[in-house]
Amino acid sequence: MAGNSFGQIFKITTFGESHGKALGAVIDGCPSGIALEAGDFVEAMERRRPGKSSFETPRSEEDRVEILSGVFEDVTTGTPLTLLIGNRDVKSKPYGVLKDLFRPGHADYTYFRKFGHFDYRGGGRSSARETAARVACGVVARKMLAPLGISILGHTLEVGGIRARKMDPSVIHQNPLYCADMEAVKGMLSALDAAGKEGDSLGGVAEVLVRGCPAGLGEPVFDKLDAELAKAVMSVGAVKGVEVGAGFDAARLKGSENNDPITSKGFSSNNSGGILGGISNGDDLVLRAAIKPIPSIMKPQKTIDRKGRDAVLELTGRFDVTAVSRIVPVLEAMVAIVLADHYLRASAIEQDFGA
Ligand SMILES: Cc1cc2nc3c(=O)[nH]c(=O)nc-3n(C[C@H](O)[C@H](O)[C@H](O)COP(=O)(O)O)c2cc1C
């Protein structure tokens, strides 16, 4: 199975499965001199962790990140940084029903077709648990970006068709959905409650905003910043669409409405989402991800067994009603990783010309 690495200079490789001994990441190309200790990971890991509210799976991993290499006296050394996260709350029994049946909407069927097997105990590499390693890498990327004045904020824009109408950053971390509109949270929570009672799940939209991004990040033509962000975001399970700036709405605007006027004080609108020609323009980056309803639902579903015979899947065990809020910190991490990588790539070019 290839495809476990991402990035060019700030290059992450994640490893491990949902129900294996541990998972983690190696960051190659992490600059030296970043202050880093195990405590730095606690807050971000806690935000991704399930089981914080009634509509999330009660699997309760501590998600403690252990630094195995690349740090000396609490500072990165520039050598490969290895981060390890143990799997402690491993309960494989509820997954027994999945031994022979493929979960519709999940990766079981395609893993089986490609590899000839699938890890029925929670999905193995396709499990959301893999994203814990990404969040850990994101912590390091953000520590690199923070002194440069680059900050990243994710929030839930929509759940089950109910959309936030306000953007109040002060409330994002005061509700379990990481939504910036408390009125919308009420509607979202009752929609989740109703779907959960029916044994069903809901999708939604998450948005990530980047403030302080300098102009000049992104490498035309195949490594455009928007192309890299789209790949990073689409690589997260359950993400089915990515928009930058006005996104799909741009298709319905006239050029005169969509173009962001350039003034001596900067851009007077931001339909571009802060990227033109694949290069950051110095404005805020704005991107959104469409997230599908999570596949593991309690309703009986038509499927087949490993031999291709028709069957009905009836799940019991620990399953979420939505993944949107848990995906918010994962998207922040992926955006941070892309920006750290492109910042280092841009610096490398500048150094070449400066010499
Ligand atoms: C943070 C996060 C949490 C998720 N939680 C669940 C879950 O509890 N149950 C589930 O069936 N899928 C969950 N998913 C989605 C599956 O991982 C995903 O649908 C599956 O791997 C198939 O990939 P695809 O949806 O991208 O095609 C979650 C994904 C993420 C990123």
Side-chain angles (χ1 to χ4, degrees), residues 105-107 126 128 131 236-238 240 292 294-296 320 323 326-327:
H106 216 293
S126 73
T131 62
V236 177
K240 292 294 123 191
K292 75 182 192 184
I294 57 172
S296 302
D320 292 358
R326 290 189 57 212
I327 286 178

Side-chain angles (χ1 to χ4, degrees), residues 165-213:
R165 298 282 159 213
K166 286 190 207 143
M167 175 48 190
D168 178 358
S170 70
V171 302
I172 292 176
H173 295 133
Q174 285 169 13
N175 67 84
L177 294 177
Y178 305 136
C179 177
D181 177 352
M182 290 307 274
E183 247 340 276
V185 170
K186 285 186 210 160
M188 291 173 183
L189 287 175
S190 60
L192 286 166
D193 192 46
K197 283 188 178 130
E198 289 170 15
D200 223 327
S201 62
L202 296 177
V205 179
E207 184 173 72
V208 182
L209 307 168
V210 180
R211 304 243 148 82
C213 182

Side-chain angles (χ1 to χ4, degrees), residues 48 57 103-108 110-111 122-123 125-129 131 234-240 291-297 315 318-328 330:
R48 191 218 67 95
T57 170
R103 276 175 296 176
H106 216 293
D108 309 334
T110 46
Y111 268 53
R125 284 293 281 166
S126 73
S127 163
R129 189 124 182 82
T131 62
M234 284 294 283
S235 74
V236 177
V239 172
K240 292 294 123 191
I291 297 160
K292 75 182 192 184
I294 57 172
S296 302
I297 56 173
L315 287 175
R318 311 177 296 180
F319 301 102
D320 292 358
V321 181
T322 189
V324 178
S325 49
R326 290 189 57 212
I327 286 178
V328 168
V330 182

Side-chain angles (χ1 to χ4, degrees), residues 206-291:
E207 184 173 72
V208 182
L209 307 168
V210 180
R211 304 243 148 82
C213 182
L217 301 192
E219 303 297 331
V221 289
F222 294 112
D223 296 351
K224 288 177 176 174
L225 192 59
D226 38 1
E228 296 269 278
L229 288 167
K231 179 171 181 180
V233 167
M234 284 294 283
S235 74
V236 177
V239 172
K240 292 294 123 191
V242 183
E243 284 189 332
V244 176
F248 274 66
D249 281 346
R252 289 168 219 117
L253 297 177
K254 291 182 180 149
S256 56
E257 296 166 322
N258 185 56
N259 293 345
D260 301 316
I262 311 173
T263 74
S264 54
K265 295 194 178 87
F267 294 94
S268 45
S269 59
N270 191 8
N271 288 321
S272 73
I275 303 171
L276 290 166
I279 301 171
S280 59
N281 65 7
D283 212 337
D284 292 348
L285 304 187
V286 183
L287 66 96
R288 285 175 290 279
I291 297 160

Side-chain angles (χ1 to χ4, degrees), residues 34-58:
I34 301 172
L36 192 67
E37 50 172 314
D40 290 327
F41 296 93
V42 174
E43 197 242 320
M45 299 308 285
E46 179 62 22
R47 287 208 293 126
R48 191 218 67 95
R49 200 172 63 82
K52 297 181 297 304
S53 56
S54 56
F55 56 84
E56 287 174 343
T57 170

